[in-house]
Amino acid sequence: MAESTGAAGTGGKSGTTLTERPMVRVEDLHRSYGSGAAATHALRGVSFEVPRGELVALKGRSGSGKTTLLNLVGGLDSPDSGRITVDGTDLSALGENGLLELRRDRIGFIFQSFGLIPILTAAENVGVPMRLRKADPREREERVSLLLSLVGLADHAAQRPGELSGGQQQRVAIARALANRPALLIADEPTGQLDAETGLAVMELLRAVVHSEGVTALVATHDAQLLGLADRVLELSDGHIVEHA
């Protein structure tokens, strides 16, 4: 169920305009694992917003719940309580098919482990999400070519993941995440397997595509140098969000 919105630019009391409405709104989110005295409380009343068109970094020590939070925002898991709204859609109002469509069409995922299919070329990997959506082949080829150029890999389209460096593989993964023109990118430690120089280049690329593709990004990272590239930093501590500049 989408949130109600007023006419664009009116700012009337009937609702929130598209430009004013955040891309992500998380309200009083709780998530625990196990039960009783042995329960692990990963999130304890987490609330925050991610404005449209921004790259927001999520920091926190290992085991602080960053991945849990990203999985919840991405519709890969369900909270014990609380509310998550993505691009105006309340995730709790969606069934499994609705969540599948949301993940396929409106959210792009980037993982630390790249997640590329070894037997496919870079171009074929980027095109997978569009094949699942049954996009027109010509549209798919044009979009794949554009995205590989965007991430600086136009000359590597025919190479398979095993023939690419770690940084190049992550660039392919970023291009794949953008294939279906998502509104939101979710990246979980996308530079975790890369050296410092390559990681910085990948983070700079993420920042560039946020602006060139007009998307919003929520990126989990612990690297202080990479945090400096974000528009805003949120720290997860003891199951709560602490906002930074």
Side-chain angles (χ1 to χ4, degrees):
M1 180 185 300
E3 291 181 335
S4 60
T5 59
T10 63
K13 295 182 180 180
S14 59
T16 305
T17 66
L18 181 64
T19 54
E20 293 172 342
R21 189 178 65 198
M23 176 57 65
V24 176
R25 179 181 288 135
V26 172
E27 302 171 80
D28 197 25
L29 208 62
H30 291 258
R31 185 67 169 98
S32 298
Y33 299 95
S35 59
T40 299
H41 301 284
L43 303 176
R44 306 168 184 260
V46 167
S47 297
F48 66 94
E49 293 183 351
V50 177
R52 290 176 180 272
E54 288 194 4
L55 190 160
V56 175
L58 179 66
K59 65 176 288 190
R61 60 178 177 77
S62 179
S64 65
K66 297 190 303 295
T67 297
T68 294
L69 181 55
L70 293 182
N71 287 343
L72 291 172
V73 172
L76 297 171
D77 191 13
S78 299
D80 298 329
S81 62
R83 186 185 185 206
I84 305 169
T85 306
V86 175
D87 198 17
T89 298
D90 183 350
L91 269 57
S92 66
L94 299 177
E96 189 53 44
N97 287 339
L99 288 170
L100 180 62
E101 291 179 2
L102 179 83
R103 295 192 296 265
R104 182 191 66 197
D105 299 335
R106 297 162 69 185
I107 300 177
F109 294 91
I110 305 168
F111 303 103
Q112 180 178 335
S113 59
F114 314 143
L116 302 178
I117 301 173
I119 63 172
L120 299 184
T121 66
E124 289 167 341
N125 267 284
V126 174
V128 165
M130 300 185 72
R131 287 182 179 275
L132 294 176
R133 193 167 54 84
K134 297 181 171 57
D136 177 79
R138 178 175 294 182
E139 175 194 352
R140 184 179 69 242
E141 290 177 8
E142 291 177 353
R143 179 70 174 162
V144 168
S145 178
L146 173 66
L147 290 173
L148 286 176
S149 295
L150 179 66
V151 300
L153 292 178
D155 295 334
H156 299 271
Q159 291 182 274
R160 291 179 169 80
E163 302 170 316
L164 300 172
S165 69
Q168 289 172 329
Q169 290 184 61
Q170 192 59 294
R171 287 172 178 266
V172 173
I174 291 171
R176 181 186 58 188
L178 293 167
N180 283 337
R181 295 179 174 85
L184 174 67
L185 283 179
I186 292 178
D188 190 3
E189 298 283 0
T191 64
Q193 292 193 31
L194 307 175
D195 62 73
E197 182 178 356
T198 304
L200 180 59
V202 166
M203 193 68 174
E204 289 175 336
L205 173 62
L206 275 173
R207 183 174 177 82
V209 300
V210 163
H211 294 113
S212 63
E213 287 285 306
V215 301
T216 305
L218 180 60
V219 181
T221 181
H222 63 275
D223 191 314
Q225 187 176 24
L226 304 186
L227 291 170
L229 294 174
D231 295 305
R232 192 156 56 101
V233 177
L234 303 173
E235 181 176 2
L236 190 59
S237 177
D238 294 326
H240 301 280
I241 285 289
V242 180
E243 186 167 355
H244 293 258

